[in-house]
Amino acid sequence: MTNDDGIDSPGLAALTRLAVAAGLDVVVAAPSEQSSGASAAITAVRDEGRTLVERHELPDRPELPAWGVRAQPGHIVVAALTGWLDPAPDLVLSGINHGANVGRAVLHSGTVGAVLTAAVHDVSGLAVSLDVPLDPRGERHWDAADDVFPRVLELLLDAQPGTSLSLNLPDRDRAEHRELRHARLAAFGAVQARVDEVEDGGLRLGEIEVGAEPEEGTDGALLAAGHPTLTALRSVSEDEGRLVPDWLANTERVHS
């Protein structure tokens, strides 16, 4: 279990509860501090070359082994899968993120980056995110995954190793959720970065919610309509198109 919102986030507690209820043998290892936007970075705070790790007690699950790590979620996953945890995990669950992870902007998500990092090691993973706006009001619905998580987990456990799934949930009462839908990625995402201030020696980045309506059938559109959405993601792989082979063939003909 990991995330990018930090070891004390309510979303991590909610996902941990579901994992325990599903009968999984759970170890929690999450950033000590907020690490949103970390993508699949493997950076960490080190002391004499050692990543800083502290034992942590989860308020609702004091019996579970839990660690706060001064590192990005991608770093934590790499460490967990390559010798830190014994036995090494055979599944990575990441979230529940405070904010949707939709569209091609999932590239920048530390929540998603954790499961894509796991896929590089042929370990399956599930990233779970809650559609919280930039300026939320009222209580969050951290139980939004309760109904769909067991089904999605069953799919993930039956899939081939290295499968990466992204589950997004409407931030509303579960009675108001519509059916779970497969979704392709929207062109961008729910939130977009922008430069708010430029001064000598630096600039300040901010975030705005994307105003354009997402294309019909995409994760952003379906989520806005009240559907939990599920998308299979592919980790880094070569483009199977003909761009480079065709260019090389043409170049060889020109120089022959």
Side-chain angles (χ1 to χ4, degrees):
M1 306 287 309
T2 193
N3 71 350
D4 71 2
D5 288 329
I7 187 75
D8 292 315
S9 76
L12 181 64
L15 191 57
T16 300
R17 171 178 58 80
L18 291 175
V20 171
L24 299 180
D25 184 11
V26 173
V27 177
V28 178
S32 300
E33 300 176 351
Q34 171 69 245
S35 296
S36 292
S39 188
I42 54 172
T43 52
V45 177
R46 292 183 172 93
D47 183 10
E48 297 183 351
R50 299 166 64 90
T51 299
L52 301 182
V53 177
E54 294 180 343
R55 195 66 187 248
H56 193 88
E57 183 173 297
L58 300 176
D60 297 330
R61 298 285 174 179
E63 77 283 3
L64 292 182
W67 305 90
V69 187
R70 298 283 297 278
Q72 310 291 13
H75 179 102
I76 295 170
V77 170
V78 170
L81 297 178
T82 59
W84 173 29
L85 300 183
D86 184 17
D90 51 15
L91 187 69
V92 171
L93 302 179
S94 182
I96 298 172
N97 189 64
H98 189 273
N101 278 304
V102 296
R104 291 183 294 178
V106 297
L107 169 70
H108 306 298
S109 165
T111 304
V112 174
V115 301
L116 293 181
T117 299
V120 173
H121 296 266
D122 292 324
V123 172
S124 294
L126 171 65
V128 186
S129 306
L130 187 67
D131 187 21
V132 179
L134 276 179
D135 297 309
R137 293 177 175 82
E139 296 294 324
R140 308 275 64 81
H141 294 81
W142 292 115
D143 64 347
D146 285 21
D147 295 335
V148 299
F149 178 81
R151 297 166 53 198
V152 174
L153 179 63
E154 183 178 359
L155 167 64
L156 188 63
L157 293 176
D158 288 342
Q160 65 181 12
T163 296
S164 299
L165 299 178
S166 177
L167 174 65
N168 280 280
L169 303 154
D171 184 21
R172 59 181 77 176
D173 190 279
R174 298 201 315 273
E176 300 176 15
H177 287 192
R178 301 173 71 179
E179 69 273 16
L180 176 65
R181 294 281 298 274
H182 165 257
R184 67 184 191 277
L185 295 178
F188 196 76
V191 176
Q192 187 170 4
R194 71 174 182 189
V195 176
D196 286 338
E197 182 180 308
V198 179
E199 295 180 348
D200 289 343
L203 53 85
R204 187 185 303 276
L205 281 177
E207 292 181 322
I208 57 171
E209 291 183 323
V210 175
E213 290 293 326
E215 183 183 353
E216 184 178 352
T218 61
D219 49 6
L222 291 168
L223 186 61
H227 294 278
T229 67
L230 188 63
T231 305
L233 302 174
R234 181 178 298 168
S235 191
V236 177
S237 63
E238 69 276 9
D239 188 333
E240 297 178 356
R242 295 292 307 171
L243 175 63
V244 173
D246 289 347
W247 176 77
L248 286 174
N250 291 331
T251 302
E252 290 169 358
R253 283 195 295 270
V254 168
H255 290 88
S256 63

